[in-house]
Amino acid sequence: MSFRLWALAFASTYLTYVAALGSECSAPAGGGCARDGEPYWLEKINHQGITAYNPDPTGYKVFRNVKDYGAVGDGVTDDTQAIIRAISTGSRCGQGCGSSSTSPATVYFPQGTYLVTDSIPLYYFTEVIGDARNPPTILAAENFNHSALAIFDADPYIPGGSQWYVNQNNFYRSVKNLQFDTTLVPPEVNATCIHWQVSQATSLYNIVFELSTANGTRHRAIFMEDGSGGFMGDLVINGGNVGLDVGNQQFTVRNLTVNCANTAVKMAWNWGWNFQGININSVQVGFDVAVESVAAIAIIDAFVRDTPIFYRSSNATTGLQSSIVLNNIQAVNVSTIVGIVGGETVLPGCAGYTYVDTWVQGNVYAGHDSRGYTQDYIAPISKDWSLLEDGRVFGKGRPTYADYDISQIVSVRDYGAKGDGYTDDTAALREVFDKFAGCKIIFFDAGTYLVTDTLRVPAGVQIFGEAWAVIAGTGEEFNDVDNPTPVVQVGEHNSKGTAEIGGIIFSVRGPTAGAIVLQWNVHSEVKGCAGMWDSYVRLGGTAGSELQLSQCPTTDVGNPNCFAAFLAVHLTRHSTAYFEGTWIWLADHDVETLGGNQTTIYSGRGLLSESNGPVWLIGTGSEHHVIVNYNLAGASNHYIGLPQTESPYFQPTPPPPSPFTNRPDWNDPSFNANQTSAWGLHVTNSHDILVFGAGLYSFFVNYNSTVCPNQLNCQSQILDVDSESTIGIYSLATVGATYQLSIDSSPVIPAAENGNGFSRTVTAWTPSWW
């Protein structure tokens, strides 16, 4: 054993370093060993993925290399129709479908330059992946269709104004490892790379945009006019008129660089957006914001250089309208940090260096008291050092294993796992982990892998899923509500090591009233090496789940066959976790029915963290769980960036904790007579917690939205912090709650005094004055 491993093994009295390798391993994987010039291993691996509940599960092709459909990639041949064939072939969920889980696709672009002349629709449940070693280029031709909305279009318009999908339900999309180039398109033509009108379970990763820098350019990288997302990160935009031209209920952007554009971000509307780790260079305006419809923007860890105006509002405001939080902003040669269209300066910069620690615009609170409207510097909410790297909140993109050779990848189907949605794959999956954990990337071919007992995933594992492969717990082992049992356990209790998971859905085939769908135990000494990206918990509402409209209609209250989980995600005491873009969804509707008919399914709890940290929850969501969506109990050292919740649509019929029972041994919150819906966020005995942006929503009373006038009284309270916890909250947006924040379950901040368009906004809150 190396000195480092020996030191880690004895560094703690309560954690055990997991250094054991799989039985077939002679040494840890270490780095990748692909030779120069080799294509990405994903291109060469034997693709065996299936879609378990498709009408033709063995005939339907999940993996599609665009060159197999006629694309050339030489930068000269028009590849438009070949790419469309690669995406659309095989009775996929396109125009008129609405949504479906039964026709996923991974569309792969090898190295090359792909010339296109028209828009390419991205069908529902599609991930587009480029060669991560040599990212391919999507090149818009000089004669690119001038009336096309974008090169890639995630929600095409139909003549007459309707669209292919309902934007709030436009799930399961990802584009990564690509370059887009519009420089051949005349600058005066509207040219957009990606139309990204999407909702949850979506991501953009590792993309470079090359746009025209000519005077008068009208090119954009990303256009988004609606939706309910979502996450994007690791983006570089060079040139153009606007980098991100966006509007959406809530969204998280991490690690965005914009160079030499006219405007980096143009914001049309929102309830709340987070920007984390932003770099802006030689841009005219960093953020150009429509005050009338943009409720809140929170920006943390930005560096801006040679840009006259960092943040510009469409008009002045002296009340709560367009809340702003700026935290840890470094500016060089920026004359105006915050200004108004027409020239008024709210927060000046200078020709040299300006540092903004924490500056806010909006209503500020501390404890039970209000400071009122503030447009000024405030003392910062502290961040624990363990959450930071080089003074910024730590961030890490989804691992691609770009430098790995195909010999370093092992497929679970090669070792007996079927993924057909009917076979018990527990033993086969255990065998793969037992043999190869720590020395191979474990590839989950597309499919639905049923497990009937806890699947123990050892520390040291690295998992790469194709087309969001599903691991689903089913059977009596997971159906005892009095004896909750993990479906997937990542790391043994008190273990140390690596755990990286990307592109996996954790699910159930019900009823599974006792399922802890994902228990996270592993602790990593290296930031981000115990993490999960582009991975989701999905409970019901899809084919094969046995928790659909036919089994669980809205009229069937308390049906024991419609219990999906005891707890969706559990971060245990000594674990560390980096979760990015994670969506923990109890289905409110059946995605297999046109129109998404509502269902009544029950999950007791969303995410419970008892972790000592560090924990990063970046761009995550937890929706429709009966008792609580996010619960921090005895937790510490957490950065939570824009968590998004929705209370169950059926409440208060029955009120929480029904149809479950309150479990103090699981740190369940209590409910008074007036609290008849789930807590969005509940915090007890927790310390050094920073919530940077949050969207906590309640839309219905027993499926009826008309009884919640002014978005104030769908439920009484939605966020509770006990008086023992040390926590700070920036940019809190709520909808439907009478009170936005409570202390020890007693209401403190009335939503009525924080009206901000459709939502209500608290710009900053801490337990006591700074």
Side-chain angles (χ1 to χ4, degrees):
M1 180 183 289
S2 71
F3 175 81
R4 178 176 179 275
L5 294 187
W6 179 90
L8 286 172
F10 290 92
S12 170
T13 59
Y14 58 82
L15 295 179
T16 301
Y17 190 84
V18 177
L21 297 173
S23 62
E24 298 296 313
C25 301
S26 58
C33 62
R35 293 173 297 178
D36 291 344
E38 283 288 304
Y40 188 28
W41 61 264
L42 189 62
E43 184 176 330
K44 300 190 295 178
I45 196 171
N46 181 24
H47 288 280
Q48 308 170 81
I50 62 172
T51 174
Y53 305 111
N54 187 277
D56 182 16
T58 57
Y60 178 88
K61 183 180 284 291
V62 175
F63 183 84
R64 294 114 184 274
N65 184 324
V66 295
K67 288 193 172 182
D68 292 338
Y69 293 81
V72 178
D74 61 1
V76 177
T77 305
D78 183 354
D79 285 325
T80 309
Q81 293 306 313
I83 296 170
I84 291 174
R85 283 193 299 272
I87 293 173
S88 63
T89 298
S91 300
R92 301 207 59 225
C93 185
Q95 181 178 349
C97 166
S99 62
S100 174
S101 69
T102 63
S103 56
T106 297
V107 179
Y108 177 76
F109 283 79
Q111 178 183 7
T113 298
Y114 298 84
L115 188 73
V116 295
T117 55
D118 208 345
S119 185
I120 296 168
L122 299 181
Y123 281 45
Y124 192 91
F125 221 121
T126 298
E127 60 170 357
V128 177
I129 304 180
D131 182 330
R133 290 175 60 78
N134 304 283
T137 297
I138 311 299
L139 177 64
E142 183 178 2
N143 63 337
F144 186 82
N145 183 358
H146 292 184
S147 63
L149 183 55
I151 299 173
F152 278 7
D153 194 340
D155 197 0
Y157 279 87
I158 302 168
S162 60
Q163 292 178 266
W164 282 22
Y165 309 105
V166 176
N167 62 77
Q168 297 94 335
N169 296 332
N170 198 6
F171 308 146
Y172 304 112
R173 309 301 185 84
S174 184
V175 178
K176 39 191 170 281
N177 310 334
L178 288 178
Q179 301 180 77
F180 287 85
D181 190 330
T182 64
T183 56
L184 296 181
V185 180
E188 68 275 10
V189 172
N190 289 317
T192 300
C193 297
I194 300 177
H195 175 220
W196 198 242
Q197 189 186 45
V198 294
S199 189
Q200 290 88 351
T202 60
S203 65
L204 300 175
Y205 262 123
N206 192 28
I207 304 174
V208 176
F209 302 87
E210 299 289 347
L211 313 176
S212 170
T213 57
N215 290 334
T217 179
R218 301 177 70 179
H219 294 193
R220 301 179 294 190
I222 298 169
F223 173 56
M224 177 194 301
E225 74 277 39
D226 214 336
S228 175
F231 172 84
M232 62 178 75
D234 302 329
L235 309 178
V236 176
I237 301 170
N238 297 314
N241 182 35
V242 182
L244 305 186
D245 189 352
V246 290
N248 193 290
Q249 287 181 18
Q250 68 285 314
F251 226 91
T252 296
V253 180
R254 184 194 53 74
N255 191 23
L256 168 70
T257 297
V258 182
N259 302 310
C260 303
N262 292 330
T263 301
V265 177
K266 183 177 181 181
M267 182 67 66
W269 76 278
N270 72 32
W271 300 346
W273 272 61
N274 266 22
F275 293 87
Q276 175 192 339
I278 307 302
N279 301 285
I280 296 174
N281 302 293
S282 300
V283 169
Q284 294 304 304
V285 179
F287 289 79
D288 206 357
V289 177
V291 166
E292 300 84 356
S293 51
V294 171
I297 291 181
I299 306 170
I300 189 168
D301 300 337
F303 184 85
V304 54
R305 179 189 296 273
D306 300 329
T307 295
I309 302 171
F310 176 57
Y311 190 107
R312 184 173 71 180
S313 298
S314 58
N315 54 57
T317 176
T318 56
L320 178 58
Q321 189 179 40
S322 200
S323 168
I324 305 171
V325 175
L326 304 180
N327 181 262
N328 190 30
I329 312 299
Q330 299 183 72
V332 177
N333 297 331
V334 178
S335 56
T336 300
I337 304 298
V338 179
I340 310 298
V341 171
E344 179 185 348
T345 297
V346 177
L347 179 62
C350 67
Y353 177 81
T354 304
Y355 179 67
V356 178
D357 190 332
T358 305
W359 187 93
V360 302
Q361 173 180 288
N363 290 351
V364 175
Y365 295 81
H368 293 77
D369 302 318
S370 169
R371 179 183 290 186
Y373 181 74
T374 301
Q375 194 180 55
D376 204 349
Y377 285 94
I378 63 174
I381 298 170
S382 65
K383 311 178 187 90
D384 187 80
W385 66 269
S386 66
L387 298 167
L388 307 180
E389 185 171 73
D390 298 327
R392 289 184 165 196
V393 174
F394 174 78
K396 178 180 178 179
R398 176 179 172 178
T400 63
Y401 311 109
D403 294 327
Y404 281 65
D405 183 73
I406 190 172
S407 64
Q408 297 177 283
I409 317 297
V410 62
S411 160
V412 297
R413 292 203 74 197
D414 282 344
Y415 286 84
K418 300 296 184 185
D420 59 9
Y422 301 96
T423 301
D424 182 354
D425 282 323
T426 312
L429 294 177
R430 285 176 174 172
E431 180 184 4
V432 173
F433 291 128
D434 289 345
K435 286 184 174 181
F436 300 107
C439 69
K440 301 280 189 181
I441 307 302
I442 295 176
F443 182 73
F444 271 74
D445 312 80
T448 298
Y449 299 86
L450 296 185
V451 296
T452 57
D453 197 0
T454 299
L455 180 62
R456 291 176 174 83
V457 178
V461 78
Q462 294 167 300
I463 295 174
F464 191 104
E466 178 184 45
W468 297 288
V470 179
I471 302 172
T474 190
E476 290 304 313
E477 184 69 18
F478 306 120
N479 200 27
D480 184 353
V481 73
D482 296 320
N483 184 30
T485 302
V487 174
V488 177
Q489 176 183 288
V490 180
E492 297 291 338
H493 285 284
N494 302 333
S495 64
K496 276 190 176 183
T498 294
E500 294 177 341
I501 298 175
I504 296 291
I505 291 175
F506 300 93
S507 189
V508 295
R509 187 175 74 183
T512 44
I516 301 171
V517 183
L518 177 64
Q519 183 187 81
W520 192 271
N521 297 311
V522 69
H523 177 104
S524 175
E525 294 289 337
V526 181
K527 291 183 175 74
C529 281
M532 195 163 73
W533 298 260
D534 250 352
S535 296
Y536 316 115
V537 175
R538 185 182 67 195
L539 305 174
T542 58
S545 68
E546 302 296 329
L547 298 165
Q548 293 184 255
L549 180 65
S550 58
Q551 293 95 9
C552 306
T554 58
T555 54
D556 199 357
V557 178
N559 184 348
N561 290 322
C562 295
F563 281 44
F566 178 89
L567 168 62
V569 177
H570 185 199
L571 307 182
T572 58
R573 178 75 61 209
H574 300 303
S575 67
T576 63
Y578 182 96
F579 285 8
E580 186 169 89
T582 303
W583 186 37
I584 304 165
W585 188 55
L586 176 71
D588 60 277
H589 66 276
D590 190 338
V591 302
E592 313 298 351
T593 61
L594 190 61
N597 300 76
Q598 291 178 326
T599 59
T600 296
I601 310 169
Y602 304 103
S603 164
R605 304 142 188 91
L607 181 144
L608 168 62
S609 179
E610 301 172 297
S611 170
N612 291 323
V615 167
W616 299 264
L617 303 176
I618 298 175
T620 65
S622 179
E623 296 186 317
H624 313 137
H625 305 280
V626 167
I627 298 172
V628 58
N629 285 296
Y630 286 89
N631 191 10
L632 307 185
S636 58
N637 306 324
H638 283 44
Y639 172 81
I640 307 176
L642 195 53
Q644 181 256 325
T645 73
E646 288 184 10
S647 298
Y649 296 172
F650 54 78
Q651 287 177 338
T653 307
S658 296
F660 294 88
T661 57
N662 190 277
R663 291 285 299 268
D665 55 328
W666 283 91
N667 294 297
D668 283 351
S670 58
F671 295 87
N672 59 40
N674 295 322
Q675 179 67 0
T676 58
S677 291
W679 290 105
L681 171 62
H682 194 269
V683 181
T684 54
N685 192 30
S686 296
H687 302 283
D688 295 314
I689 310 297
L690 173 58
V691 178
F692 197 81
L696 312 180
Y697 312 140
S698 187
F699 297 121
F700 297 91
V701 173
N702 194 18
Y703 291 106
N704 188 341
S705 62
T706 63
V707 298
C708 304
N710 302 315
Q711 293 78 51
L712 283 176
N713 59 348
C714 287
Q715 69 183 75
S716 174
Q717 304 171 75
I718 202 162
L719 189 162
D720 186 46
V721 177
D722 76 346
S723 54
E724 301 300 317
S725 295
T726 55
I727 176 175
I729 301 172
Y730 291 116
S731 198
L732 165 66
T734 67
V735 174
T738 307
Y739 292 93
Q740 294 183 272
L741 186 140
S742 304
I743 299 176
D744 293 323
S745 300
S746 297
V748 170
I749 302 179
E753 65 187 33
N754 291 313
N756 190 7
F758 187 84
S759 60
R760 313 284 157 157
T761 306
V762 173
T763 298
W765 177 86
T766 56
S768 59
W769 293 115
W770 294 265

